[in-house]
Amino acid sequence: MALYSDKVMDHFRNPRNVGVIENADGVGEAGNPVCGDIMKIYLKIDDDVISDVKFETFGCGSAIASSSMATELIKGKPVEEAAALTNKAVTEALDGLPIHKLHCSVLAEEAIKLALKDYYDKNGIPYDPEEFKGLVDCASCAENH
């Protein structure tokens, strides 16, 4: 059995939604200091629907594939549905990741949640802080170092 699924290899070799959205409605950056992977997600939201999403990822093939798949899973979806995206859903959509690479799907989930939190904060939209408990925005980490 191959270490990586065909879907992981496809999203690594041909990532979808790569880039930056200028004046994004929400931006979230998540990282793992142990492996060095960093994901930045940009959201454009119109009428409570994610009309566009882009990402920049510095990391391994699994990190790039997880970012690409996560953006595909939320593009065109209502904000509420995007907020419910889990790392498990990203992993399943990629037909699995090796156990030592599961943290990549976690980073994708966290970056999306941080981008949504940024959107809520910028627009004064109330939310349950518990939904974002434990998330650390890497952008603020970089500013403090």
Side-chain angles (χ1 to χ4, degrees):
M1 181 173 133
L3 185 60
Y4 297 105
S5 72
D6 290 341
K7 283 188 183 177
V8 170
M9 294 307 297
D10 181 43
H11 278 268
F12 166 63
R13 291 185 179 128
N14 308 292
R16 285 70 151 175
N17 307 307
V18 175
V20 174
I21 297 175
E22 296 298 329
N23 301 312
D25 295 311
V27 180
E29 187 174 338
N32 182 323
V34 175
C35 69
D37 292 339
I38 299 172
M39 294 179 185
K40 194 167 189 176
I41 300 281
Y42 302 84
L43 301 175
K44 180 70 178 160
I45 299 171
D46 295 303
D47 297 323
D48 210 37
V49 172
I50 297 175
S51 58
D52 197 10
V53 56
K54 302 278 186 209
F55 77 90
E56 295 178 300
T57 293
F58 177 82
C60 65
S62 294
I64 293 166
S66 292
S67 301
S68 175
M69 180 57 81
T71 61
E72 286 287 279
L73 291 171
I74 66 167
K75 193 172 190 175
K77 302 286 196 273
V79 169
E80 188 175 303
E81 194 173 323
L85 181 73
T86 64
N87 66 298
K88 183 178 179 191
V90 174
T91 301
E92 288 173 357
L94 288 169
D95 292 337
L97 285 169
I99 290 173
H100 66 284
K101 294 293 183 177
L102 288 176
H103 68 277
C104 296
S105 64
V106 172
L107 288 179
E109 175 188 346
E110 289 179 352
I112 288 168
K113 288 190 184 330
L114 287 165
L116 290 168
K117 181 181 181 301
D118 182 49
Y119 167 70
Y120 298 151
D121 288 341
K122 285 179 179 174
N123 292 282
I125 299 169
Y127 58 84
D128 180 0
E130 287 296 311
E131 290 181 49
F132 303 100
K133 191 175 180 179
L135 297 179
V136 177
D137 189 338
C138 278
S140 62
C141 291
E143 291 169 6
N144 296 326
H145 286 46

